[in-house]
Amino acid sequence: MSAYDGEPQGAYHGAHVDPLAGLRTTDDPPWDVYLTGTVFLDIVFTGLDSAPERGTESWARGMGSSPGGVANMATALARLGLRTSLAAAFGDDHYGEYCWDALDQGEGIDLSASRRVAGWHSPVTVSMAYEGERAMVSHGHEPPPEEPAPECPPRARAAIASLTPGRRAPWIADVASEGTLIFADVGWDDTGRWDLAGLADLEHCEAFLPNAEEAMRYTRTDCPRAAAHALTEYVPLAVVTLGAEGAYAVDRRTGETAEVPAIEVEALDPTGAGDVFVAGFVTGTLAGWPLADRIAFAGLTAALSVQEFGGSLSAPGWAEIAAWWRRVGAYDDQDPAALRRYAFLEALLPDVARPWPLRRAVPTIGFRAAQ
């Protein structure tokens, strides 16, 4: 179905690390994380000098294809070693087949709760990356009425939900009642109401992870840190991302707060960075790390992702995190305090020797494997 320029997808992010290895028991749920949503085929054009101009033709120096949409989050989780189950609708076209194979075979994501929809074509997003920004064009149709989320989602330690103002998703309350920890984010409120009461499923959530603008609008505050504290009236743990300033978190149950600055990197494409941040934070939470370590790790994985093009293509694995750690530690002029911030990674990282930067797989639809 597909071939790859470079190492096979699912291999380049390399050595396996199980961040929950010391916590697993025979009574555990079968999955660490469950999530549901829409899978897109993402086609990313790179190497554009500027945005395309009306009436002209632009040539991109690079192109990649990969599963996108909710697949960005699922891939980020799987590459960090979490056992991930995804419920989504897949078209029965070549795009849907490609996305299914990439997630199932390439990333090891469980798709037993997903379904193939006959006669439905896969949603597609074309992303154009230039000057550290992106422009996207998407096309798709609603799948048949049957919800992609099953009536009885598989048991999992955690689930990730994207909240929709004014709408409940029944599966959230169902899995929360079984002890699953719900981590929620939210998109832009097109209604302009920004009413926390409209996020009805927030009452079932363990953590809420909006960006600074969303947090301030929902809480009617003019400071993202104040917004984080205000959000803990609705959810036990609030994490507000601050863009180039990092992230700030408040745990209502312990009274603990944590703020970690962002890592300065050359950002090529921010696609999927928010998904990678959430995946990193969920990983650290399930592993029982201190709050500051969790947001530091989430910020690190997000920073690594924006240095590459694409959504799920750019999600880092442990081999890439290890390569980064060994690279920054090799510089004599590193700030010792900054290095100590990430020293907790040392015991987790695989002992692999990889070049930096790591070469990315760029899957292309339609190639056949060489005979």
Side-chain angles (χ1 to χ4, degrees), residues 41-102:
L41 170 69
D42 280 358
I43 300 174
V44 182
F45 290 109
T46 66
L48 290 164
D49 295 322
S50 62
E53 296 182 15
R54 183 176 180 178
T56 67
E57 180 180 16
S58 299
W59 279 82
R61 292 188 291 273
M63 189 192 91
S65 305
S66 63
V70 72
N72 292 338
M73 182 82 73
T75 298
L77 292 162
R79 290 184 182 178
L80 292 177
L82 297 186
R83 300 170 184 175
T84 303
S85 180
L86 170 64
F90 289 78
D92 64 348
D93 52 10
H94 286 307
Y95 293 169
E97 181 184 353
Y98 164 77
C99 289
W100 184 290
D101 288 347

Side-chain angles (χ1 to χ4, degrees), residues 299-310:
L300 168 61
T301 54
L304 293 178
S305 77
V306 302
Q307 295 179 87
E308 303 291 344
F309 292 106

Side-chain angles (χ1 to χ4, degrees), residues 81-204:
L82 297 186
R83 300 170 184 175
T84 303
S85 180
L86 170 64
F90 289 78
D92 64 348
D93 52 10
H94 286 307
Y95 293 169
E97 181 184 353
Y98 164 77
C99 289
W100 184 290
D101 288 347
L103 297 173
D104 178 30
Q105 301 298 321
E107 304 295 346
I109 294 167
D110 169 61
L111 299 179
S112 60
S114 293
R115 62 192 174 102
R116 297 181 189 267
V117 181
W120 179 62
H121 81 72
S122 303
V124 177
T125 292
V126 175
S127 176
M128 292 161 283
Y130 55 90
E131 299 175 351
E133 298 292 339
R134 59 177 175 170
M136 297 187 293
V137 178
S138 297
H139 172 72
H141 300 284
E142 289 291 327
E146 179 188 348
E147 289 291 332
E151 291 185 4
C152 297
R155 291 178 57 240
R157 297 172 186 262
I160 298 175
S162 184
L163 304 184
T164 302
R167 184 186 307 171
R168 282 189 181 270
W171 71 267
I172 295 177
D174 292 343
V175 300
S177 68
E178 298 294 326
T180 297
L181 300 178
I182 308 295
F183 295 79
D185 61 10
V186 67
W188 190 258
D189 186 356
D190 291 328
T191 70
R193 287 190 288 269
W194 299 99
D195 180 12
L196 276 171
L199 301 180
D201 286 319
L202 200 58
E203 64 179 317
H204 305 297

